[in-house]
Every structure is written in C-alpha cells, then in structure tokens.
Amino acid sequence: MRFLLLIVTALALGSAPAFAEEHGWPQQIDADNGATVIVYQPQIEEFTGNALSGRAAVSVSMPEDNSVPTFGAIWFEARMDTDRETRTAVIRSVKVADVRFTDASEAQKERLATFLEQQLQASQFTISV
C-alpha cells in the first residue's frame, strides 16, 4: 500500500511541470527599457467565489546587469474565470499587493508593482484548477 502511494505521488509530481508548460508557465514580460520579467506559475492562497489571492515567484533581468536575474516574489489579488470541463481557469484583473526583492528600494518595488499590474492587466494567465 505504501509503495502504491509513493508511485501515485511520484506520477502526480512528475506531471505538474508538463501541465505548467502546457499552460504557458513561466510567463515572460519584456519592458521598453530592455528589462525582462519572468513570472512563474502562481500559487493560490485564498479562493472565494471568483476572487483569489496568491503569490508568484518572479525574476527581473536588467540589460546593464548583463541579464543576470534577480529573484523575488509578488503577492496579488485577482479575479478568475473557471472552465470546469477542462479544469482550468483564467486569471484576470490582477492587482499587485506586495513586491519583495532583497536589494530593491521602496521606489523600485513600487515601479515594479505598477509595471507588473499594467502588463498583467493586458494578459490572461491560464492555470489548472
């Protein structure tokens, strides 16, 4: 029984990255100043009705830093439209509530939050339900 549980767990974990790739994760956002922001698959923390909140890992690469990424995280609130047949959902109306990068100033965090909100509002992200 324990062996069966290990196999089922391994298969479930092994299929998660493929599903993430199928739905376009991670998402890349290119800024006009040459910066590249990569948003990794979000983790939902709270979900009520069609409102959700969650977090996502992000990386930012600046051209002047030779494209070496700086990693951080964002916390967000959004709305979600669910397709029960395909067991997927589209995240929309994203508002960035918090941005955390170890070496970023408050002004840099605010600019990044504003940039991400603008870019995410124009995008639709599909996740598994």
Side-chain angles (χ1 to χ4, degrees):
M1 181 70 168
R2 186 174 180 181
F3 180 72
L4 181 61
L5 181 61
L6 288 173
I7 291 175
V8 170
T9 303
L11 288 173
L13 292 175
S15 65
F19 192 80
E21 288 175 17
E22 178 183 320
H23 290 286
W25 294 103
Q27 295 280 328
Q28 180 171 320
I29 301 169
D30 297 315
D32 292 337
N33 67 357
T36 300
V37 178
I38 297 178
V39 180
Y40 297 89
Q41 186 167 13
Q43 303 300 308
I44 306 305
E45 295 177 339
E46 190 173 325
F47 181 38
T48 305
N50 74 334
L52 64 94
S53 62
R55 66 188 185 283
V58 296
S59 68
V60 179
S61 301
M62 300 297 289
E64 60 267 15
D65 294 337
N66 295 320
S67 298
V68 175
T70 302
F71 291 90
I74 61 169
W75 280 257
F76 63 90
E77 297 172 355
R79 296 284 179 204
M80 187 165 76
D81 298 322
T82 305
D83 182 342
R84 293 177 194 247
E85 288 182 21
T86 63
R87 297 188 44 81
T88 60
V90 175
I91 298 174
R92 62 178 175 79
S93 303
V94 177
K95 296 209 180 282
V96 178
D98 192 14
V99 176
R100 295 187 192 168
F101 282 84
T102 54
D103 297 330
S105 69
E106 287 303 314
Q108 289 171 322
K109 290 178 188 178
E110 285 182 30
R111 282 196 307 269
L112 181 59
T114 301
F115 169 74
L116 287 171
E117 268 187 19
Q118 291 169 347
Q119 296 301 311
L120 295 175
Q121 287 289 338
S123 303
Q124 289 191 344
F125 297 106
T126 302
I127 62 171
S128 91
V129 176

